[in-house]
Amino acid sequence: MSDDEQTPRTAGGTADGKTAGSAAGNTAATGGPSGGPRPEEIRFFGTTWVDHSGHYALRRVGLAAGALAAAVAACFVLRFAFQGLQIANTGGLVNGLVIVMFAVCSAIACRKTWEGFQRRPDDPAREDSLRSLKAIGFIGSLLAYAARCLTEAPGEKLHRAEYEAALARYEKRRGSRTGNPAARRKPKRGK
């Protein structure tokens, strides 16, 4: 029995559940009924971003409203935390530092979240190191997500460009393989 027969395959085509092209940075895996590349799923949208089906516009509006509501709720929570600092009489310097910290972290998180919708990170290790900063400035991330939902599914432009490039590569490879291979001339060998 070969390894292919022993290892169960997932819908993505590999044994570990990853798509065939994800390890090399290729976002579209070959598979499906036509054997062509498949679009990468976007959280909350799946693959409906490709043809804007399945209540796509309603999802965008709902997610924008939900992100805004979560940002407002988070502001109330931060207000209560700030009132706790005032009750504890920590002083004006600490109160000012807390306000500046949340403002700066929110601005950085908003910018990094917005950039993440437009292009893949150049240095994943740097993005991992900014994870805690983005967690502190989560309000900025929520606002960036809500703003992006008003124009498209977050990351749709990036995923669409990658998917169309994968389709073009697939069609180019497929076009070069068409024809009758038996009719091709064999190269002459030198004597």
Side-chain angles (χ1 to χ4, degrees), residues 10 31 143 153 170:
T10 61
L143 292 175
Y170 174 75

Side-chain angles (χ1 to χ4, degrees), residues 86-97:
Q86 287 179 336
I87 291 171
N89 266 344
T90 56
L93 180 64
V94 173
N95 292 344
L97 286 175

Side-chain angles (χ1 to χ4, degrees), residues 37 52 80 98 133-134:
H52 295 182
F80 293 137
V98 168
L133 189 113
K134 286 166 54 173

Side-chain angles (χ1 to χ4, degrees), residues 170-184:
Y170 174 75
E171 288 301 323
K172 184 177 178 182
R173 282 193 319 264
R174 185 174 173 208
S176 66
R177 292 186 295 204
T178 59
N180 184 357
R184 291 187 191 145

Side-chain angles (χ1 to χ4, degrees), residues 15-78:
D16 61 352
K18 295 180 182 175
T19 57
S22 64
N26 182 5
T27 60
T30 57
S34 65
R38 292 184 302 192
E40 186 176 347
E41 292 185 3
I42 296 177
R43 183 180 298 156
F44 303 119
F45 292 93
T47 57
T48 61
W49 60 268
V50 176
D51 57 358
H52 295 182
S53 63
H55 305 292
Y56 170 81
L58 186 62
R59 286 183 194 188
R60 275 187 28 219
V61 170
L63 285 171
L68 284 175
V72 169
C75 286
F76 279 120
V77 169
L78 287 179

